[in-house]
Amino acid sequence: MRVYLDHAATTRVFDEVAREVFKLFTDFYGNASSTHTHGYEAKKIYEEARGKIAKHLNVDPSEIYFTSGGTESDNIAICGFLKANHPDGGHLITTQIEHPAVLEVMRQLEKRGYSVTYLKPTPEGYVTPDDFRKAIKKNTVLASIMWVNNETGAIQPIEEISKIAREHGITLHSDAVQAIGKLKIDAKLVDMLSASGHKFYAPKGCGFLYVSKSVKIEPIMYGGGHEKGLRSGTENVPGAHGMAVALDLIDKNYAEWSEKLKRFKRKIVEVIENIPDHHINGSNTIFSHINVSFKGISGETLATALDLYGISVSMASACSSHHSIKRSHVLEAMSLEEWMMDGAIRISMGYDNSEEEINFFVKVLLEEVNRLRKMA
Amino acid sequence: MLKYTELVLDHFKNPRNLGRIENADAEATEGSVACGDMMTVYLKIEDNRIVDIKFESYGCAANIATASMMTEVVKGLTLEEAKKITWRDIVERLGGLPPVKYHCSNLAIDTLRKAIEVYENSPVKR
């Protein structure tokens, strides 16, 4: 049996999404910017997709911009906002646990003269509204706070941070790549929001950025002026349609699917709780994620052992004594003990996992943890 | 997952000579939990020949696999022959290791050599 438990890395495209997307390659392949019927057909599907995604987020369709994914959305949001409003510098707030798609942008901005505060999370893996408030300076112009952390699944206090940001007139962006399709979120809490299709059962290479009408933004890439000039490049109609169909399916089945994953998570956690010397990394975590360490077993060893049974989980870091493999910056920021950082594996479930798969996984997990510990 | 050979994975999944030897003629522990890898080697020696060897490991897949292979290679060798076995011999027998895992393969040989040293320096020999 092969069990895929790395949905935070990417997901299997839903069958229905794949079928729908296929039609766009073969039947509705026109360029959405063309003025003939082929183009018009594609454009119609493209704009319908925008409408559906906007509806899912409860925002206006004109506020949704299609991009190539999370990284591009983050770059456009942060750099495009600063370019339009604060080209000469200013203070930015983000977290130490962001995805590199935000962290690396911030580091580049520091080189260009912006100052950045990187909020440290609690050992539980989330930043606090209080720390956010304390980080605010007179010249703070933008904050970028992820909605859900990709490694631990810890949900960040966006609602409270949003209130504080609004009080101070700070524009708020959120990398919601791990939240879209899993959490029912209120996008209007933030001014800009990034999402990536392949994290919610749509194809790779597509994503979107929500930009509130109230935010002034400039492109960071130039060309044919697609997406109202914010993101030039021929419209990815299959990607946009795939995302819309995937979110539709999730909306329709949300109650059942989210309950199922919550049940699976309880089952896995119950098994883990009975294994001595473990640590679940992060709290207030999303129902799909479990990040756990077992004392005495490196994450790489356990992930390798599970892989031999066809089970795919990811590891946060490998081989503590060798620095050519880096530790997780997220777990490090949480100031966890060494064994917790080196032992961490991330189990990330998806709506397509079955009870049988989870039962197999917990059985193998228990056996392998015992086996690897017995060697010592 | 790092790219391991089939043989490495086989030794990781089914380590040979795993466990301890009661009344071993020599034993040694090298590495540390802090550095991530630690192992103990037990030797049973007759007429300067390794007649039995077992190991316990607290380590990664590469560490377990190299220790397992090492025990297979040196079992039956004289102490002089065993001392000449290098980490490269073991890694080659395993069909290679990812470069970041080279240091893990050193530990198996280091611990073996230490155990032999312990034996050679002990006043009572059988």
Side-chain angles (χ1 to χ4, degrees), chain A residues 309-367:
Chain A
Y309 287 87
I311 299 167
S312 294
V313 300
S314 76
M315 54 193 172
S317 61
C319 217
S320 62
S321 55
H322 206 284
H323 294 290
S324 59
I325 301 182
K326 277 194 295 187
R327 273 191 178 142
S328 143
H329 71 282
V330 174
L331 303 184
E332 237 167 13
M334 288 159 67
S335 299
L336 296 182
E337 288 176 38
E338 285 203 358
W339 70 266
M340 296 171 188
M341 290 191 270
D342 295 334
I345 59 163
R346 178 186 65 187
I347 302 149
S348 54
M349 297 176 290
Y351 298 134
D352 45 7
N353 283 128
S354 69
E355 186 109 39
E356 193 192 3
E357 288 174 338
I358 300 302
N359 288 340
F360 178 69
F361 166 68
V362 293
K363 180 177 152 280
V364 173
L365 177 74
L366 198 56
E367 284 170 6

Side-chain angles (χ1 to χ4, degrees), chain A residues 230-275:
Chain A
L230 186 60
R231 202 280 185 178
S232 287
T234 298
E235 291 90 344
N236 179 355
V237 185
H241 183 57
M243 288 193 286
V245 174
L247 287 179
D248 245 13
L249 278 169
I250 291 168
D251 283 342
K252 275 183 199 135
N253 295 284
Y254 188 74
E256 186 195 327
W257 289 352
S258 59
E259 274 315 307
K260 180 177 88 167
L261 291 196
K262 282 174 193 167
R263 199 173 72 241
F264 290 171
K265 183 169 178 171
R266 281 196 297 273
K267 180 175 253 175
I268 294 170
V269 169
E270 210 170 276
V271 168
I272 290 171
E273 295 289 356
N274 282 315
I275 301 174

